[in-house]
Amino acid sequence: LLADVSHELRSPMTRLQIALGLIEKSAEQGLSLEKHLHRCEHEIAQLDSMITNVLSLSRMENTFQQAHFENINVKLLLQTAIADAQYLAINNKITINANITENCDIPIDKSLILSALNNVLINAIKHSEQQSSITVTVLKQGKSLFIAVSDCGTGVPDDKLALLFKPFYRVSTARDRETGGTGLGLAIAKQAIDIHQGKISAENNHSGGLTITIELPLDNIYDT
């Protein structure tokens, strides 16, 4: 992970150094600095996001003994996550549809599961086409609760699906550079789900796009 972090930090740092050099050169020639200042702002935001995510991932790797479990209503939790994500989705004219029929309490660490849901939803938003939709579906089956987030993006090659949850893995480096992706969101989501002894997986939809499914155990669940 440290090797990956070092490699990933190098790119925005290099672009930031280049932008600062261009600012210095443009200032000497009396040219506009706005374009280069915007680039600096963008790269600093990227660095901040990456460092924040790395710290979050590191904390989760050491949270197994510190997670605080309490009975949380699944429907209310998902409504909160969807409401937060909709603020980002609206910029791309993306609608998030919720198909939540299950209304039960489940013992979870609320902040960790919210983090997982937020990262999965943000990933779906970033890789969906404008004016498309994302669907969140909840299903209780056997001893598990399944939460599926389906987008209408381009999907992922089948042989790359398992790699989506690896830190810093990106199917398209160029596209993630445009959307501001750091390749850590789904890795953070996986760590949060692992803490709950659950599972997270990805599969391509027959109609196009990708579905990320979270499976949580229903031990000590209480119907409401």
Side-chain angles (χ1 to χ4, degrees):
L1 180 60
L2 283 172
D4 287 338
V5 170
S6 300
H7 175 76
E8 290 293 326
L9 289 175
R10 193 173 294 120
S11 294
M13 287 292 290
T14 299
R15 291 193 295 268
L16 185 57
Q17 288 176 327
I18 291 171
L20 289 171
L22 290 171
I23 286 174
E24 188 175 338
K25 190 174 182 179
S26 297
E28 292 174 354
Q29 298 175 354
L31 302 175
S32 174
L33 306 179
E34 186 176 355
K35 176 183 176 181
H36 304 312
L37 288 172
H38 279 313
R39 169 53 67 177
C40 287
E41 186 178 63
H42 174 76
E43 298 301 342
I44 290 170
Q46 277 286 87
L47 286 168
D48 181 66
S49 176
M50 193 179 297
I51 291 169
T52 298
N53 285 337
V54 167
L55 291 174
S56 178
L57 186 61
S58 178
R59 276 195 299 269
M60 285 191 187
E61 288 177 344
N62 295 283
T63 304
F64 283 97
Q65 302 301 320
Q66 302 172 16
H68 176 64
F69 290 83
E70 56 182 327
N71 286 330
I72 300 295
N73 184 272
V74 171
K75 189 171 185 177
L76 294 178
L77 184 74
L78 281 164
Q79 287 173 342
T80 298
I82 291 170
D84 291 343
Q86 190 65 69
Y87 278 102
L88 296 174
I90 200 168
N91 289 331
N92 290 331
K93 300 178 181 178
I94 295 171
T95 303
I96 302 177
N97 300 315
N99 182 16
I100 307 172
T101 56
E102 303 293 348
N103 189 26
C104 53
D105 292 349
I106 182 171
I108 57 173
D109 184 301
K110 182 179 179 181
S111 63
L112 290 180
I113 294 299
L114 264 180
S115 172
L117 291 171
N118 286 336
N119 277 296
V120 170
L121 285 166
I122 288 170
N123 183 76
I125 292 167
K126 285 181 176 179
H127 295 93
S128 289
E129 301 295 333
Q130 286 198 356
Q131 298 183 330
S132 63
S133 64
I134 294 168
T135 302
V136 180
T137 306
V138 180
L139 175 66
K140 188 164 62 172
Q141 191 172 54
K143 295 183 178 181
S144 297
L145 184 78
F146 294 87
I147 303 170
V149 178
S150 302
D151 65 46
C152 294
T154 55
V156 174
D158 288 339
D159 61 337
K160 306 296 184 185
L161 289 171
L163 297 175
L164 290 175
F165 305 100
K166 180 182 177 182
F168 293 112
Y169 179 77
R170 285 169 290 205
V171 177
S172 171
T173 304
R175 176 159 186 173
D176 276 320
R177 197 175 285 139
E178 292 174 8
T179 59
T182 61
L184 283 170
L186 292 182
I188 290 172
K190 183 181 186 304
Q191 193 66 43
I193 300 306
D194 284 348
I195 290 170
H196 288 77
Q197 304 300 311
K199 299 176 183 177
I200 184 168
S201 59
E203 64 178 344
N204 287 305
N205 305 326
H206 294 301
S207 57
L210 187 74
T211 293
I212 302 289
T213 302
I214 293 171
E215 178 183 352
L216 293 170
L218 286 171
D219 294 339
N220 300 319
I221 198 165
Y222 301 95
D223 289 327
T224 60

